[in-house]
Every structure is written in structure tokens, then in C-alpha cells.
Amino acid sequence: MTSEKIPHIPVLLNEVLRCFEAMPSEGVFIDCTLGYGGHSEAILKKFPGIRLIGIDQDPEAIDFATKRLAPFLDRFEAKKGRFSELLPQLLNLPVCGILADFGVSSLQLDEKRRGFSFLSENLDMRMDPEAGLSAYDVVNGWPQEELERIFREYAEERSWRKAARAVVEARSKKPIESGMELSEILGGVLPKRGRTNPATALFQAIRIAVNDELGEIERLLDSLEKNPPKGAVVGLITFHSLEDRLVKQRFKKWSTACICPAEAFRCTCGNDHAIGKPFSRKPIAATAEEIRQNPRSRSAKLRCFGFFDE
């Protein structure tokens, strides 16, 4: 990362801070997606009684965030790894808040050598540069049926079959080496959509597959369900309808007191299975002003849940 790059204001920052006003004033706060430290910096400033542990797969991000958060080193610790693996180990601490921002940072997207971009000269897309599977492996090695599946399920692209076929036909002649090359191949078979690159959703689908992003979210939710952090607040930011659906459904499950079958004549389960409640039925979205300043925030949705006793 170049020294000239200054991180932009993190997405939904004010909304995130309001979300955590309901958490205990002391305890351990876990930022599952530390990134470049924007959310963590604001949380450490606003809540002086908390200690914060930040998790990230990206060593570049950890290095940058650690320098950024140097004024708080007595209350801050960074851990490298997947949050799905580290969070279960941390839930035995006195946790007061948990944040996860499931989006890819603008710095990662804009850094061409990371291979996320349409303009990249390589195909990578790994959040952890040491991970085994890369976008190059998916694009050049996965069978057509698997490409069809991720384009259909993760991109929700109507032309999923045509797009997968185009990739397979192109790679049969020579390996697809770059984001630029892949964008051109997909752009040749997909309908134009205004000023947005027609391959946007398909690049996102490949990135989701490379990093197992939906699986990571499921495992985070499983950890919280298995060992609910009593009294804590959880804030989860999603950027994709599939991600938001996972969070919405799990929050609904956690706030349901009666788990008897719908056809049951009367409740026999004890009506005490709720482990907390969501702060609102609908997710919190970016304001028009934030979207003007940061167009990538337009798809961000924040859902907050409190593991509070009724």
C-alpha cells in the first residue's frame, strides 16, 4: 500500500456508533473485520472503557491498522486469521460488543496488484494473500457447472449460463490471466447496464467463492448461537442480498421465544427460547449524503442485535 493513500471514512460510521451505545460501558469489543481500522478507531474514541480486539486475514491491513491505532495500544490488540476460527476462542471473554463489516475495503479493491479490479493485471481476489485458492484457480480450473452455480447463486445473474460458457471457451484457447481480460470476456456476452461494468456482479461472485464469504458468515452466526455473549451488542454490515438474508433469518430465529410447530394447538416448549432481540425489523442503510461521498455505501445494510434478557 502506498503511503499517499488515506483510508476513507468507514461505511455507516455514525450508525455503527449509535448501534453500540446500548452495550455495556466496559468489556471486550471484537472487531471481526479490522480492515484499516476506521470503525475501531471511532469505537475506541467513543467508548473509553472498552478493550478492543481486531481480527483480519490481511497482513497489510493489520500493519496499517496497528499504526493507525497506536494511541490506543494499551486497549487494542490485533489478531491475524479468519474471524470464523478466532471468534469462538474469544467468546469466553467478557464481550460487550461485536462488529463485522463484510464488505471488501476500497483500498483492497483499488489496489490493482491485489487482483480484485476490472483493471487488474492479475487475477487474485484473496483477502488473505497466503490462502490457497485464488480467482485465477476458480476462473481457469473450476468446471463449467461450478461457474454456472456461483454466477447464478452469488451474482444472481440472469445470463449465468452464457457467462460461464464464455469463460470456458476463452480459457480453452489460453489461460485467463488478468481482471482486464476477464472483464472483456464477460462484457462481450452480458447486457450493458448503464455506466456500471456488466461484469460487476460476476466479479463479486468469484470473490465470494474464493474467500468462502457466505460460509464465514454462517460460521460466525453459528458461534454466536452456540455461545451467546450475554449482555453484548452485535452489529453486522452486509453488502449483498444473500449476506443480509443470512443475518436477517438468524436474528429472527434468535428473537423467537416459542419454537413449537406452527400447527401446535398450544405452546409446550416453554416459550423461553429467545436469546435477545434485533434493534429494528429493517436494516439501516446509508444516507443520501454518505452515498454521494462514497457510492460503494449504497448497498450497505447494518443490522444490530442485543443479547439482552427480557
Side-chain angles (χ1 to χ4, degrees), residues 129-148:
E130 298 176 358
L133 184 69
S134 72
Y136 180 93
D137 301 322
V138 171
V139 169
N140 289 288
W142 280 19
Q144 182 171 328
E145 294 75 16
E146 274 298 286
L147 293 176
E148 290 177 354

Side-chain angles (χ1 to χ4, degrees), residues 91-215:
L91 287 176
N92 293 323
L93 299 172
V95 175
C96 61
I98 297 172
L99 172 67
D101 174 354
F102 298 124
V104 179
S105 79
S106 292
L107 292 182
Q108 285 174 323
L109 289 171
D110 295 339
E111 193 76 50
K112 293 179 185 177
R113 64 183 175 79
R114 297 298 299 270
F116 288 92
S117 165
F118 305 125
L119 302 176
S120 297
E121 295 179 358
N122 63 338
L123 270 176
D124 195 324
M125 301 192 189
R126 291 174 295 178
M127 293 182 182
D128 178 356
E130 298 176 358
L133 184 69
S134 72
Y136 180 93
D137 301 322
V138 171
V139 169
N140 289 288
W142 280 19
Q144 182 171 328
E145 294 75 16
E146 274 298 286
L147 293 176
E148 290 177 354
R149 181 185 67 81
I150 65 171
F151 290 167
R152 182 180 68 250
E153 294 181 9
Y154 299 166
E156 300 177 305
E157 169 59 57
R158 292 182 181 179
S159 303
W160 49 270
R161 186 175 284 115
K162 188 184 295 185
R165 189 184 308 123
V167 170
V168 172
E169 287 176 358
R171 77 187 189 192
S172 69
K173 299 168 187 170
K174 62 174 285 297
I176 301 169
E177 304 277 358
S178 70
M180 292 184 288
E181 194 177 347
L182 179 60
S183 176
E184 187 175 337
I185 291 164
L186 293 173
V189 297
L190 296 174
K192 299 292 185 290
R193 297 183 175 96
R195 291 184 294 175
T196 302
N197 189 311
T200 298
L202 299 184
F203 267 61
Q204 179 177 260
I206 295 167
R207 191 202 77 216
I208 289 171
V210 166
N211 297 288
D212 188 22
E213 293 176 30
L214 297 178

